[in-house]
């Protein structure tokens, strides 16, 4: 038996920041992925959020230029406007 699987590509969105970094939980609120800090904490602890392809469970993870956050079918690419 042969099984064909088609993997849907994630949407990609560039997010510009004007600081050296943004914390993961703040980023989730900033982009409207979570409505509250508590909800952001749940998403992170439940392993729903990936940073650079790996599950990240650290709310305070510093996202810097070039990092990619994956959440709910979208890849968010962090770009520092000052670089």
């Amino acid at each position: 038996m042969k099984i064909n699987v088609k993997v849907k590509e994630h949407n990609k969105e560039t997010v510009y920041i004007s600081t050296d970094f943004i914390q993961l939980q703040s980023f989730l609120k900033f982009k409207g992925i979570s409505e509250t800090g508590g909800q952001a904490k749940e998403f992170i602890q439940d392993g729903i959020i990936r940073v650079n392809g790996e599950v990240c469970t650290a709310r305070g993870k510093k996202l810097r230029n070039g990092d990619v956050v994956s959440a709910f079918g979208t890849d968010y690419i962090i770009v520092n406007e000052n670089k």
Side-chain angles (χ1 to χ4, degrees), residues 17 20-22 62-68 77-80:
I17 60 171
D20 287 339
F21 65 87
I22 183 171
K62 293 179 180 178
L63 304 173
R64 300 181 188 276
N65 190 53
D67 283 340
V68 178
I77 302 147
I78 309 297
V79 175
N80 187 322

Side-chain angles (χ1 to χ4, degrees), residues 9 33 66 75-76 80:
E9 266 198 49
I33 297 167
D75 292 336
Y76 299 91
N80 187 322

Side-chain angles (χ1 to χ4, degrees), residues 16-70:
Y16 295 94
I17 60 171
S18 59
T19 57
D20 287 339
F21 65 87
I22 183 171
Q23 288 187 338
L24 180 57
Q25 70 178 7
S26 298
F27 172 80
L28 296 177
K29 291 188 294 184
F30 171 69
K31 285 306 299 169
I33 297 167
S34 68
E35 294 181 12
T36 65
Q39 188 178 43
K41 179 180 176 181
E42 284 182 33
F43 289 162
I44 294 166
Q45 288 180 340
D46 290 347
I48 294 171
I49 308 301
R50 293 181 175 266
V51 176
N52 298 327
E54 296 182 12
V55 172
C56 181
T57 57
R59 291 183 302 162
K61 168 78 174 155
K62 293 179 180 178
L63 304 173
R64 300 181 188 276
N65 190 53
D67 283 340
V68 178
V69 177
S70 301

Side-chain angles (χ1 to χ4, degrees), residues 5-21:
V5 177
K6 291 185 181 181
V7 177
K8 183 179 175 188
E9 266 198 49
H10 284 197
N11 297 323
K12 296 190 185 325
E13 183 176 329
T14 303
V15 179
Y16 295 94
I17 60 171
S18 59
T19 57
D20 287 339
F21 65 87

